[in-house]
Amino acid sequence: MDIPALRAFLIEAFPQVAQDFTVERVDDAGIRVRMNVGERHLRPGGTVSGPSIFALADVGVYLLILSRLGPVALAVTTNCSIDFMRKPAAATDLVAEARLLKLGRVLAVGDVLIHSEGTEVPVARASLTYSIPPR
């Protein structure tokens, strides 16, 4: 799936959060997804909350898998390990760079680095495993 197809899928399958994410790049190396940070993503102090950072990592790997397999809505997260390394910049969009380490018949494993817009130092790193339903 290309960027317009991924966007259309998000709007159709997940309308409640589709406006939160923008796919900026998808290619052989991976995917770049932006979280359009709004007030609902912030914790006290004005930085992006941990649950919102997790959502970006999860959506990034999910969309990367869909870009390879097509619209497999029932692919689900089976494991996630996330390291929160530093506080995100205040009220600034976050950008996730995700890549697949394995794409098998049953499982997909991805790695994500997340940084605040305008910086390259990561605020979080995540490793996710997805279960892929039988086709």
Side-chain angles (χ1 to χ4, degrees):
M1 297 174 73
D2 60 8
I3 291 174
L6 291 169
R7 180 78 189 137
F9 177 85
L10 266 182
I11 290 168
E12 180 183 324
F14 300 101
Q16 66 275 27
V17 297
Q19 73 283 353
D20 290 349
F21 304 101
T22 302
V23 178
E24 296 185 340
R25 174 186 54 78
V26 61
D27 57 27
D28 292 341
I31 195 167
R32 179 182 167 105
V33 180
R34 173 179 301 272
M35 172 176 271
N36 307 309
V37 172
E39 186 68 31
R40 69 191 166 284
H41 301 114
L42 303 181
R43 64 178 308 279
T47 61
V48 178
S49 70
S52 295
I53 295 170
F54 168 82
L56 177 57
D58 196 36
V59 167
V61 173
Y62 182 66
L63 292 176
L64 181 53
I65 292 167
L66 296 184
S67 78
R68 303 303 196 257
L69 298 179
V72 184
L74 297 178
V76 295
T77 308
T78 59
N79 188 57
C80 177
S81 173
I82 188 164
D83 297 306
F84 298 101
M85 297 185 281
R86 57 185 50 85
K87 186 168 86 170
T92 301
D93 285 356
L94 294 182
V95 178
E97 297 277 352
R99 64 188 177 131
L100 284 176
L101 304 176
K102 175 190 178 182
L103 181 58
R105 288 181 304 106
V106 178
L107 294 176
V109 178
D111 187 51
V112 186
L113 279 178
I114 297 173
H115 61 273
S116 295
E117 179 182 32
T119 69
E120 291 303 317
V121 295
V123 299
R125 184 208 62 84
S127 176
L128 292 99
T129 302
Y130 267 77
S131 175
I132 301 168
R135 294 189 143 221

